[in-house]
Amino acid sequence: MNSRASLPASVQTAFVAFALLFSVTLSVCSRLTVLVRLNDGQITEELLEADSEKDIITVEFRQTDGTLITFLSDFKRHVKIFRALVLGEPEKGQCQYQALCFISHLDHGELIPSEAMARLRQKNPHVVRSADERRGVEEFTMNAALNMSRSWHLSTHIHNVCRDARDLVYTRQQDVKYWLDKGVEGSIFEVFPQSLNVTGLKNCSSTTDPWQPCACSYRLNLEWFPCQLKYCRGQGPNPYKCGIKSCSKSYHFDFYTPHKQLCLWDEDT
């Protein structure tokens, strides 16, 4: 008798969508392309890459407005990196694109392990995916910066992902404290003075002078990522890994910018 025949219909559906394939030879790296429906209803291709040797997972996709979003999780160093490559507006004096990078500590259980992600295979690649669970919005007040020339002390992946962001690589004081307690070199962090605290600055959206410092806001959505392993029961006594649960989550960042010209998208929000 087929052991899957006795599974509930909901579990069978999850099993058909994605499966964890186990073999004697472990594939160290993997690439998976998933069709995902964005918050505005449009469909995009999302690329998920896993490297179990480096212990990282990368999620990357392009938004409807052309912005390229990259999310990298470094499990070894407990670091997550958000990067947004926002298309510029040359008619407003901007460059071709602007890079933003936000760094925070990675909590246990935010995603499935990289080893499990490297084994994940998609059964129906032409199906548009929607997340099983929506995790709401996480708010970030970015009140510190990273010295890119020394960022390898925190994670070797920061320089590669954030090299285009230059001076726009932000983190939080609470994350700085977390990493200092873990023994990370303190010289890579620069905590902003009180005068540059976003709570005391005028919002860029209400600032008229394009060269005036202001508090900028940016929001991004990860519409689909593997957040939890699923277990099934077969004929044996122990459950086995048979698939994943997917999640979506929004992130809202408030941060200091030296002039409004670097935050023109805030006018549209």
Side-chain angles (χ1 to χ4, degrees), residues 91-106:
E91 66 276 9
K92 295 184 179 180
Q94 291 184 319
C95 298
Q96 183 179 3
Y97 65 89
Q98 179 181 337
L100 297 171
C101 253
F102 306 105
I103 317 294
S104 183
H105 79 269
L106 179 68

Side-chain angles (χ1 to χ4, degrees), residues 165-204:
R166 299 176 186 174
D167 297 327
L168 300 178
V169 182
Y170 299 94
T171 188
R172 302 178 295 177
Q173 291 186 27
Q174 64 196 76
D175 290 316
V176 171
K177 183 179 184 305
Y178 173 87
W179 290 316
L180 291 178
D181 290 343
K182 296 291 184 180
V184 175
E185 172 62 48
S187 63
I188 72 171
F189 305 111
E190 178 188 354
V191 176
F192 293 153
Q194 189 65 30
S195 60
L196 300 183
N197 195 313
V198 293
T199 58
L201 286 172
K202 194 173 183 180
N203 291 334
C204 291

Side-chain angles (χ1 to χ4, degrees), residues 188-241:
I188 72 171
F189 305 111
E190 178 188 354
V191 176
F192 293 153
Q194 189 65 30
S195 60
L196 300 183
N197 195 313
V198 293
T199 58
L201 286 172
K202 194 173 183 180
N203 291 334
C204 291
S205 57
S206 58
T207 301
T208 56
D209 184 352
W211 304 108
Q212 181 177 337
C214 53
C216 189
S217 295
Y218 192 79
R219 176 168 174 156
L220 63 85
N221 301 317
L222 295 181
E223 295 293 349
W224 194 96
F225 60 92
C227 57
Q228 189 175 325
L229 295 174
K230 283 186 176 180
Y231 291 83
C232 297
R233 288 193 174 275
Q235 295 180 337
N238 299 319
Y240 60 93
K241 300 173 185 176

Side-chain angles (χ1 to χ4, degrees), residues 26-67:
L26 174 63
S27 175
V28 173
C29 302
S30 73
R31 290 168 60 94
L32 189 68
T33 301
V34 179
L35 294 178
V36 176
R37 191 175 303 279
L38 298 175
N39 195 40
D40 60 7
Q42 299 298 310
I43 297 171
T44 191
E45 284 191 349
E46 183 176 280
L47 176 65
L48 298 102
E49 295 182 301
D51 188 323
S52 59
E53 185 176 4
K54 294 180 179 178
D55 206 6
I56 61 172
I57 292 177
T58 305
V59 180
E60 188 167 83
F61 63 95
R62 194 172 297 276
Q63 295 181 162
T64 307
D65 64 1
T67 299

